Amino acid sequence: MSDTVIELQGVHKWYGDFHVLKDLNLRVGKGEKFVVCGPSGSGKSTMIRCINRLEEHQQGRITVAGIEITSDLKNIDAVRREVGMVFQQFNLFPHLTVLENLTLAPVWVRKLPKKEAEETARYYLERVRIPEQADKYPGQLSGGQQQRVAIARSLCMKPEIMLFDEPTSALDPEMIKEVLDVMIELAHEGMTMVCVTHEMGFARTVADMMVFMDRGEIVERAPPADFFSNPKSERTRLFLSQILAH
Amino acid sequence: MTDLTDEMPVPAQRPPTASTGTIGWLRANLFNSVFNSILTLLCLVLFAAAIPPVIRWAFVNAIWTAPNGQACRGGGACWAFIGEKIRFILFGFFPSGELWRPIAVVAVFLLMILVACDRRSWGRWLAYLWAAGLAAVLLVMHGGSLGLSTVETRLWSGLPLTLILAVIAMVAGFPLGVLLALGRRSNLPAVRAICVGYIELVRGVPLITVLFMASLMLPLFLPSGMTIDKLLRAQIAFILFAAAYLAEVVRGGLQAIPKGQIEAADALGLSYIQRTRLIVLPQALSLVIPPLVNTFIGIFKDTALVTIISLFDLLGTVDAALTDPNWQGFYVEAYVVVAAIYFCFCFFMSRYSQVLEREFNRGTRR
């Protein structure tokens, strides 16, 4: 087993009286790719948002890159520097150009000189195949381009871990592939990734481990080969039959 | 029928002529229905009836020079009164031998405003420039050093007084208002309660009562021998009021920022201050430019309320000028002129806000 970079131990979370996360245990090794799937409302997004403390867990331990996430702001900042996140709605900063979106955090958080940050930004724009859009505003780009900018923005912080929260769910069908291609490339380079997604083709290609969640619990985890051909739980089987039906 | 194939896109065509040009515009905007046609004709009749008398009063029958008020009564406007009194209206009771000082102050204000209007100048040095400019303004008005004779604040009047009250209320009230708005949305209950309490208290009380209290009641409570300058008290009241109103405008902008923006900033590791300064405020403020300028215009005009605590701002000097026994009864002329001066400033603010809106919205279209 490789070094553990994300570890969840007995994690619980409630929204008021509603028990959203129930006793989650998960261990992600360095360079591993986890794909999390499950019906809507099953707590997938909430779980990965706990990993960089966009949501607070109320019980259990979450350790990321050797740092335990507590209410200590210093720890939270340290974790967020190591963890990149890509959102369903892109969440680019609309008042800044693409290049400014990419250099903002490196300059202000990592304290890089502006010139160096711009070089890094241009390198990653090249990587996500939109170097020519550097001086445009996010509103002028297509959804697929915006999501690739969002991925580049996270990569500019040189994170150890990337979290993807349904990165293709808000995209028009013809733009999904251009985003997935970038993600696959990233996976092949050895990035540690946790992706919430229903793109099962992508999952088969890159996942080391499939995680199925339902009603706040992790119901099943298995390598993709077993997961797709031989699901153990009835709930998994039902879910797979629904999303693979067409 | 033209022969269309899949390979040939339909070529773009010119719009039909009846919908363009002057005739098309008239038809679309003024005569597009019976009711609108009647309204248009009614308005034309109204204009025809109203405009010629106004022109006759203001220009044709107007009297431009006269030795006193008696010689100035002819049916038309008496602009001689304005010529006689304009210096007093603009600069009030400031010692007449030192008039260059209020003139310089007005010039410095206009210069600072013009520099600040250029977006390229926005930055740290502009803040220094403004701090230096405001200090210079107060020094030149007050004197007492650099060989200038001291002029007490009760003699400050007219346009310089209006500008000092309004500009300082805006410049100091705006940052305070932003802090109050942020505080009102804070997660800390104590901070939130203080900000809500302050804003609601100030908004719930008429400005006039606060000015009265500051000028009449406050001295009663202060230990004997201790006085705070009346102008300073009024200025503080204006700043506190401006802050409360601006806070609510800014809060509107803050609430319009999607939660995803804050999450993205957090996920990138930005601190609260960085997130607020770099992500939240730039977007929130550019969203609320129209109501923000609305409030600024209101603040500018509210400064006229200081008349009631016997400070002579622009409107106060006009009223004082009207009491001259040699020139009695020229209210209309006086108020037209003072209204024109207020209009210049307020119209400028409103136009500038439209320029800003256009510039900010370049990239924010989603």
Side-chain angles (χ1 to χ4, degrees), chain A residues 176-232:
Chain A
I176 290 177
K177 183 173 179 296
E178 63 190 50
V179 171
L180 290 181
D181 284 348
V182 168
M183 289 169 63
I184 290 170
E185 229 177 85
L186 199 59
H188 288 330
E189 278 161 28
M191 175 66 76
T192 309
M193 291 163 68
V194 179
C195 312
V196 172
T197 181
H198 293 148
E199 294 296 332
M200 291 302 144
F202 167 77
R204 272 188 236 261
T205 315
V206 307
D208 295 307
M209 189 68 82
M210 295 297 299
V211 175
F212 174 70
M213 288 183 71
D214 189 24
R215 286 178 228 153
E217 333 165 35
I218 293 179
V219 176
E220 185 158 351
R221 80 192 72 194
D226 296 342
F227 183 80
F228 287 110
S229 56
N230 186 20
K232 290 187 184 62

Side-chain angles (χ1 to χ4, degrees), chain B residues 138-156:
Chain B
L138 296 179
L139 180 72
V140 168
M141 280 302 270
H142 189 265
S145 59
L146 300 177
L148 296 174
S149 57
T150 305
V151 178
E152 287 177 54
T153 54
R154 67 184 169 80
L155 297 176
W156 298 14

Side-chain angles (χ1 to χ4, degrees), chain B residues 27 37 60 119 152 218 224 240 261 279 310 342 349:
Chain B
R27 194 178 288 165
S37 303
V60 182
R119 251 188 99 194
E152 287 177 54
L218 193 63
S224 61
L240 297 182
Q261 291 289 309
I279 307 301
S310 2
Y342 274 104
M349 284 192 255

